[in-house]
Amino acid sequence: MLEKLLAGRWIAGATIEDGFITAKKVNLNNASAILNYLGEDIEDMDDVDKTVKIYMKLIDGIKNMKIKADISLKPTELGLKIDKKTMRWNYIKIVKHAKENGIFVWLDMEQASFVDDTIRLYRSGLPYKNVGICIQAYLRRSISDLRYLSRIDSTVRLVKGAYSESSKIAFSSWADVTANYSELMEYLFKNFSRFTIATHDSSLIKKAFGLNEKYKRDVTYAMLNGIRNNYAYRLAADGNKVSIYVPFGTAWFKYAFRRLKEEGGARRFVSLLANFRQN
Ligand SMILES: Cc1cc2nc3c(=O)[nH]c(=O)nc-3n(C[C@H](O)[C@H](O)[C@H](O)COP(=O)(O)OP(=O)(O)OC[C@H]3O[C@@H](n4cnc5c(N)ncnc54)[C@H](O)[C@@H]3O)c2cc1C
């Protein structure tokens, strides 16, 4: 009930079946899904094991139901905060199983303190050739990460960035983040053959269309479920490759809070929560 009230717009539902249902709806609109099992900052190994099992089941379901979908994982749901060796083992287990079933595996990017570990983890999956990594335009370091990733033949998903970071390491104004996104996007067009432009910002998407007339790259446009699906589906109807990121699961709180914050709705979130507790 609380989940539906606060997060129902963005999250497919609590169960893996909810994820499949939403992914199928996305497919009916000529777009692909990116399925994510909600969870982050996990500090209990039993929860990590449960997460890995759900991703294995997710891969089987995508394959068996012929759903058009990638999957996307967070390093801290695979054990980054507990034991890096176990995290790597879990990641490779999922990547291998996905590879056997023709499914692509993204790594989400979390807080800045995890970027080096995330890039290292991504590199360990590269030999399987079905992996991609998210890069955040708000981080000042991202241009040098892109330079490195271009040298190791990477698939990148470019986003603005959703966490709170210090201005020492991150651009803080919306205008500066958008300007850096635009520069990094140009870098992608010049130096990468395939990548994902993940934003709801129409001006950046228009700019990407212009760049692609010149560079003719394999570009996918991706958006988060529940934000601008109709716009995404129009892009798909026009013949563009489009993906919708579809989270499911019960650990929705931090994800929903980030979305509300972006909409300037954090205050509304707190008051909704207060009302719910009173009622
Ligand atoms: C596919 C995908 C994967 C992502 N993965 C990650 C990740 O791994 N790590 C990470 O840190 N972040 C990730 N993000 C989130 C991202 O970093 C941003 O926080 C989020 O996308 C908001 O930035 P923006 O560029 O879309 O839009 P902004 O311009 O910053 O807009 C902010 C919000 O305003 C709204 N909005 C903007 N324009 C319009 C419009 N014209 N009409 C209606 N509403 C509008 C939307 O609610 C949007 O979310 C991902 C985003 C996407 C799309």
Side-chain angles (χ1 to χ4, degrees):
M1 166 68 178
L2 183 62
E3 171 197 329
K4 276 227 157 63
L5 181 70
L6 295 175
R9 263 179 63 199
W10 303 295
I11 290 162
T15 67
I16 195 166
E17 287 75 22
D18 293 326
F20 291 139
I21 290 168
T22 302
K24 282 185 195 162
K25 281 188 197 151
V26 166
N27 288 175
L28 286 175
N29 288 283
N30 297 317
S32 180
I34 303 174
L35 280 161
N36 167 258
Y37 177 54
L38 288 161
E40 55 197 278
D41 297 327
I42 296 184
E43 308 214 21
D44 178 328
M45 205 45 100
D46 287 344
D47 290 339
V48 169
D49 291 343
K50 183 181 158 215
T51 298
V52 174
K53 279 192 190 122
I54 292 205
Y55 275 112
M56 302 301 268
K57 214 172 136 191
L58 189 59
I59 291 166
D60 293 337
I62 292 171
K63 168 82 176 177
N64 294 339
M65 286 182 251
K66 298 190 171 59
I67 294 171
K68 222 177 138 212
D70 301 340
I71 59 173
S72 204
L73 324 160
K74 285 184 171 54
T76 65
E77 62 176 346
L78 298 183
L80 173 57
K81 286 181 131 180
I82 311 170
D83 174 36
K84 291 183 190 175
K85 255 193 183 160
T86 308
M87 168 190 69
R88 199 156 40 250
W89 196 85
N90 287 335
Y91 174 63
I92 294 298
K93 182 174 170 181
I94 293 169
V95 167
K96 272 186 178 168
H97 191 51
K99 171 83 180 176
E100 285 156 13
N101 289 285
I103 292 165
F104 193 84
V105 182
W106 288 102
L107 273 180
D108 285 358
M109 191 59 82
E110 303 175 80
Q111 290 91 330
S113 53
F114 300 133
V115 175
D116 287 328
D117 281 315
T118 304
I119 293 177
R120 233 173 272 132
L121 186 63
Y122 166 71
R123 214 175 46 203
S124 71
L126 267 179
Y128 299 95
K129 299 191 184 299
N130 63 332
V131 294
I133 184 168
C134 177
I135 291 292
Q136 299 156 323
Y138 65 10
L139 292 186
R140 295 176 194 274
R141 61 174 284 172
S142 287
I143 184 64
S144 77
D145 289 334
L146 282 190
R147 283 194 197 106
Y148 169 70
L149 291 167
S150 74
R151 291 199 297 275
I152 55 171
D153 189 24
S154 294
T155 306
V156 166
R157 176 176 91 212
L158 185 62
V159 303
K160 284 189 183 170
Y163 298 82
S164 297
E165 302 291 356
S166 128
S167 61
K168 278 196 192 126
I169 58 163
F171 298 101
S172 41
S173 79
W174 182 86
D176 287 347
V177 175
T178 303
N180 199 45
Y181 192 111
S182 182
E183 278 181 33
L184 297 178
M185 185 165 79
E186 278 197 56
Y187 187 85
L188 285 175
F189 274 97
K190 287 181 185 155
N191 298 286
F192 288 70
S193 55
R194 64 188 176 280
F195 47 87
T196 291
I197 297 300
T199 180
H200 313 91
D201 188 328
S202 324
S203 66
L204 289 169
I205 292 171
K206 273 188 201 132
K207 180 170 176 175
F209 285 162
L211 286 165
N212 211 26
E213 286 196 359
K214 179 170 176 194
Y215 292 100
K216 311 245 179 283
R217 300 305 193 198
D218 180 356
V219 187
T220 300
Y221 298 91
M223 299 189 199
L224 301 174
N225 186 49
I227 297 182
R228 299 191 75 188
N229 288 34
N230 287 340
Y231 175 45
Y233 297 152
R234 277 204 304 280
L235 298 183
D238 289 344
N240 298 290
K241 277 168 108 171
V242 171
S243 293
I244 301 282
Y245 185 101
V246 176
F248 67 91
T250 52
W252 51 268
F253 189 87
K254 288 183 180 175
Y255 182 89
F257 195 79
R258 286 195 290 276
R259 300 289 79 78
L260 273 162
K261 214 171 74 188
E262 281 166 3
E263 288 190 344
R267 229 174 286 129
R268 205 176 73 214
F269 181 74
V270 172
S271 80
L272 268 171
L273 197 58
N275 280 340
F276 184 84
R277 284 197 173 133
Q278 276 165 20
N279 293 333

